[in-house]
Amino acid sequence: MSQQKPRVVIVGGGFAGLYTAKALKNAPVEVTLIDKRNFHLFQPLLYQVATGALSPADISSPLRLVLRGHRNTRVFLDEVVDIDPIAKQVSLIDHEPIEYDTLVIATGVSHHYFGNDHWKPHAPGLKTIEDALETRRRIFLAFEEAEKETDPEKRKAWLTFVIVGGGPTGVELAGAIAEIAHTALKGEFQRIDPSEAKIILLEGLDRVLPPYDPSLSAKAEESLTRLGVTVQTKSIVTNIEEGRVSVRQGENTNQIETRTVLWAAGVKASKMGRILSDRTGVELDRVGRVMVEPDLSIAGYRDIFVIGDLANFSHQGDKPLPGVAPVAMQEGEYLAKAIVSRLNGGSIEPFQYIDRGSLAVIGQNSAVVDLKFLKLSGLLAWFIWIWAHIYYLIEFDNKLVVMVQWGWNYFTRGRGARLITGESLPNMDLDFPSKSIESLKPPAVKV
Amino acid sequence: MSQQKPRVVIVGGGFAGLYTAKALKNAPVEVTLIDKRNFHLFQPLLYQVATGALSPADISSPLRLVLRGHRNTRVFLDEVVDIDPIAKQVSLIDHEPIEYDTLVIATGVSHHYFGNDHWKPHAPGLKTIEDALETRRRIFLAFEEAEKETDPEKRKAWLTFVIVGGGPTGVELAGAIAEIAHTALKGEFQRIDPSEAKIILLEGLDRVLPPYDPSLSAKAEESLTRLGVTVQTKSIVTNIEEGRVSVRQGENTNQIETRTVLWAAGVKASKMGRILSDRTGVELDRVGRVMVEPDLSIAGYRDIFVIGDLANFSHQGDKPLPGVAPVAMQEGEYLAKAIVSRLNGGSIEPFQYIDRGSLAVIGQNSAVVDLKFLKLSGLLAWFIWIWAHIYYLIEFDNKLVVMVQWGWNYFTRGRGARLITGESLPNMDLDFPSKSIESLKPPAVKV
């Protein structure tokens, strides 16, 4: 065993996990990256899939492709269902347990309905490719249903889109849906005018993009309004049911009749946080994220690290680091260095996040950028947004296609990827056997 | 009513239906195109989606976008479930019946398992986007499972791919899977060598591409063999079950242990053929296609036409016209002319198909082309194939992206669109509510 290299097991191939693996490329360790998907998802652009501008593969990179040159790394398509910190191994659904010397957990977060999980079927979130395709299906199907509907009230409900949450995702979704209604679908319907659609963005606090500078929030709201979005701040959603959202604004509660509600509000930790806490006693925060030490390890376990959105890092500033890609990437890169340093008997300084600023896009030619030393909005901000995203995309593989698609969309104002897939009609015969296939599934849980 | 323009109802937005609608652009008629999908699918390239080279949206065009400039045309997302040739109307799932003066049925074909529908879950066909994503999922998941499998026999079964049917689709699929195994996945796995995969193409007749000239069939078989495909002709599939295909070749029946079987063999008519026959007494052929008159109408009903793959046109040559895109497009264009001609009190000659040749691609740099006056194989044929497909694609919308993607794939030999979406693991938590959403569905059948 003295010959064996230290085994680093990374759970999750998002920004945090993948950047750890990438940074360990030439380290004298054996890396195993486990993910339940075979691709890394560039989540900041997921709203573009949800609104028909890009295809899923445009913002996804096969993990094996990204890590192809890594001779010390193997990739496992599987899901970790348990952790044994004493035996130092993780249990998988479809494989025998895998032992580790260092464990890195980076399984992220999912949606949080603030205790109202029954809202979920009526208001899908936006975390996975499947979420995005479901959102896309709902948006474009709503226009199709409106076209067929003869009752004016019902038609109006099909043409009302409510986005819950005024953070970057909510702002980007609202802006994109406004562009769909006013530009992309123009002239394509015979009975309805898509630009009559009402797009309502609800935010509980007093402004959109709450983490940004108030001046940028104001700019964003202005741009959204110009695009045709109704921005309602200080608005708390009190109920979501079929065809209706209840919203409290001050003393008043109003009902919005709508057939399309999109959820861009809370997040909660993935279940790996709870499992880890059960096995190690580590503290979780209010939304289930794991409280991490200054070096991203967990209390009492120097060989277990939690990074990315799942981690609550509260050792810098007066609140936890935000769940954004730059934090995840920097944590991954830091951790890779820390692991190598430890192997050499050394130690490194606590993790320190370098905040290079925030950006959010509102629509074509419009974004807000907060570079700390410089706050920008409008066209120039939009160019910075484009540049920053292409810069990160080209780190991976075939993202040339994204540039071409964006260029094409820009000049045609088109949304060619607006397929309604899956069920679009009741009893629709798609001639699609998938759900009945038992034969294809791997054998039952072994561990 | 004398003011109203004649109403042409077209059922199906494939090549046949869409080309009819396109050719009626300036005709003095009111066109209603009904399809259960909101997009036209460029089916000849579906195998490229199934093998991770292109994304669904790359080969799909929103019907409304294609018909945007048509002021006489409305598009309906719905499914026709019945026809009343006396009242001259069609019934829909989600809308009141629609009346027609002229009815055009172009709903195509689906897979046919020769009376063995229980094979279907084990051997998906390739007709829809959902089929293609399911095929893609199975192909790439098989390599992932092989990587995790420790039993050599089971691993071998995961690395064995059987394609049933040696027509163009089967040949194209087999060639593409061979390229995946030998090129695209090279160096990405740690335990398996993807190029050890066995790809078996089964054909019942004595050569692949039976409708082509025998010299081209021989060239195709040679190219496939060079790519690493095992071509087995005169091989009849007698059973498909979980993990196993039974094949009779002459006197012998062999078992192939495999986890991935793809169906590219028979087709049968969509159910609209049976409905039409029940309502009008029109004759169907052995696979349920509708026997049409020389002008593509059906016997006894001058106002009902059947075109595309659903039609059996047996008035030219010694067998029915093949179910290929050029036939469907020419039928659509002919029919549009015939409809206008009739409006003017005239009549036109019977439909005549102009066969400009056939093509099938085998792999990178390799195709066979039969232009009747010229038979080609190899690189030049491959260029002709590329050119012909881009020519048709650019008739629609954003297909610039396809060219870029192809160019990229060519030089990188990559398959960036190889996402495994949907369920890839038992009990996998995708956090995906879609299947439980009743609220989203339109109200129950009204008609």
Side-chain angles (χ1 to χ4, degrees), chain B residues 12-242:
Chain B
F15 284 106
L18 186 55
Y19 273 69
T20 308
K22 277 165 68 90
L24 285 171
K25 180 170 186 178
N26 296 312
V29 293
E30 265 184 18
V31 178
T32 304
L33 176 65
I34 305 168
D35 197 310
K36 54 187 179 180
R37 314 311 299 261
N38 73 330
F39 54 87
H40 167 75
L41 178 64
F42 194 83
Q43 242 173 22
L45 289 178
L46 199 53
Y47 83 95
Q48 295 221 353
V49 173
T51 54
L54 292 177
S55 283
D58 296 339
I59 61 161
S60 308
S61 303
L63 287 170
R64 292 189 186 282
L65 184 64
V66 177
L67 298 171
R68 176 143 60 172
H70 292 231
R71 299 169 146 260
N72 65 347
T73 305
R74 60 180 188 168
V75 175
F76 252 61
L77 179 74
D78 215 317
E79 184 175 348
V80 172
V81 289
D82 207 352
I83 298 165
D84 184 338
I86 308 304
K88 299 183 66 159
Q89 62 181 31
V90 294
S91 302
L92 304 175
I93 286 184
D94 187 34
H95 193 272
E96 56 197 17
I98 292 184
E99 296 184 350
Y100 64 80
D101 296 301
T102 300
L103 179 61
V104 181
I105 303 185
T107 51
V109 293
S110 62
H111 324 296
H112 183 37
Y113 291 86
F114 306 125
N116 297 288
D117 280 352
H118 56 287
W119 294 356
K120 188 169 163 173
H122 307 299
L126 191 57
K127 281 284 171 195
T128 66
I129 287 287
E130 285 77 7
D131 288 340
L133 297 181
E134 174 66 16
T135 300
R136 181 177 83 178
R137 191 177 77 80
R138 291 183 184 216
I139 292 170
F140 292 103
L141 190 56
F143 288 99
E144 298 291 338
E145 291 294 331
E147 173 80 352
K148 289 195 292 187
E149 184 57 66
T150 47
D151 180 303
E153 285 304 307
K154 288 182 183 167
R155 176 180 283 187
K156 206 175 142 198
W158 280 117
L159 288 176
T160 301
F161 299 84
V162 175
I163 298 102
V164 185
T169 301
V171 165
E172 287 163 347
L173 272 176
I177 296 172
E179 288 186 338
I180 288 168
H182 290 275
T183 314
L185 299 185
K186 197 173 179 177
E188 291 191 8
F189 289 80
Q190 289 75 46
R191 296 175 172 181
I192 60 164
D193 176 358
S195 69
E196 282 173 13
K198 191 155 189 193
I199 297 118
I200 303 168
L201 179 63
L202 302 176
E203 167 57 44
L205 299 178
D206 62 349
R207 57 192 174 98
V208 297
L209 300 177
Y212 289 53
D213 187 87
S215 68
L216 290 177
S217 295
K219 290 280 185 190
E221 185 169 336
E222 203 178 282
S223 299
L224 285 168
T225 307
R226 206 161 44 229
L227 275 173
V229 176
T230 306
V231 179
Q232 276 184 228
T233 54
K234 297 183 202 160
S235 295
I236 308 292
V237 170
T238 55
N239 195 30
I240 304 177
E241 59 191 304
E242 180 169 337

Side-chain angles (χ1 to χ4, degrees), chain A residues 77 120 138 148 431 437, chain B residues 77 120 138 148 431 437:
Chain A
L77 179 75
K120 187 169 164 173
R138 290 182 184 217
K148 289 194 292 186
D431 200 30
I437 301 161
Chain B
L77 179 74
K120 188 169 163 173
R138 291 183 184 216
K148 289 195 292 187
D431 200 29
I437 301 161

Side-chain angles (χ1 to χ4, degrees), chain B residues 295-314:
Chain B
D295 68 351
L296 304 173
S297 68
I298 63 170
Y301 292 84
R302 287 197 67 228
D303 51 0
I304 302 181
F305 297 84
V306 179
I307 54 175
D309 289 2
L310 182 63
N312 178 324
F313 184 89
S314 292

Side-chain angles (χ1 to χ4, degrees), chain B residues 382-393:
Chain B
W382 185 74
F383 276 117
I384 292 174
W385 181 90
I386 290 269
W387 179 85
H389 282 76
I390 285 180
Y391 175 83
Y392 282 113
L393 280 172

